[in-house]
Amino acid sequence: MLGFKVQAQSSWKLINDKSGIKIYMASVENSKFKSIRVLTVFDGTISKLMNILGNISKHPEWVYKAKSTSIINQVGPNEFVYYTESILPWPFSNRDAIIHLTMIPDTVHHALRITAFCEPDLIAKKDGLVRIPYYKASWYVTELSNHLNIEYTFDIDPGGSVPSWLVNMMADKGPLESFQNLRKRLKL
């Protein structure tokens, strides 16, 4: 397995380590929701990963609880603004978000940086859904001999009345399932 340059950060606590997917959690200043970090190594290429992430309409096939996704605006070949709806269990309402995703490949260093953040006021809110007010994610990926070192972090405020203790308790489930599904897609 390839190694990572992991910054010494005592605030990250390992909460799940399954199938080579390590998930960490850390407190976030001025937020009741925890930050999530995923470290893993997958077989694959940056090009294939970019194709998967850029195929927005297929996200519901592999992203945890994604009900639907659609492109609002393709800013450039590697930059998208898209709408997504996520399924939440009863008694909570589904969530929706407008995500601005940018992928920046570095072919010289065989690396990829990805940023994603929500733009909650870009389009009108839809009846029956709760708009996610805050989402920020980043990926740092390096490729060596058809292996991808992936570091993914994200912060979210799901909005509405979902208790923070419940969100934090289940915080590893979504990333684990999404990354397990991503690994399968990279092998196709």
Side-chain angles (χ1 to χ4, degrees), residues 26-111:
S27 294
V28 177
E29 191 173 332
N30 299 321
S31 176
K32 55 190 173 193
F33 301 103
K34 305 284 187 177
S35 183
I36 297 295
R37 180 181 195 193
V38 178
L39 298 177
T40 193
V41 178
F42 288 163
D43 292 337
T45 64
I46 285 175
S47 175
K48 179 109 184 209
L49 176 63
M50 289 178 67
N51 286 335
I52 292 167
L53 295 176
N55 194 346
I56 303 297
S57 66
K58 297 288 187 182
H59 285 195
E61 296 177 8
W62 66 273
V63 175
Y64 180 74
K65 298 294 185 184
K67 180 179 180 182
S68 64
T69 51
S70 59
I71 293 177
I72 296 171
N73 183 22
Q74 184 162 354
V75 180
N78 299 321
E79 187 174 359
F80 307 88
V81 178
Y82 68 94
Y83 175 84
T84 184
E85 180 181 342
S86 298
I87 301 166
L88 263 68
W90 183 88
F92 304 108
S93 298
N94 284 359
R95 298 309 196 252
D96 72 351
I98 296 87
I99 305 295
H100 191 139
L101 174 76
T102 305
M103 298 183 283
I104 305 166
D106 178 347
T107 55
V108 172
H109 298 101
H110 307 285

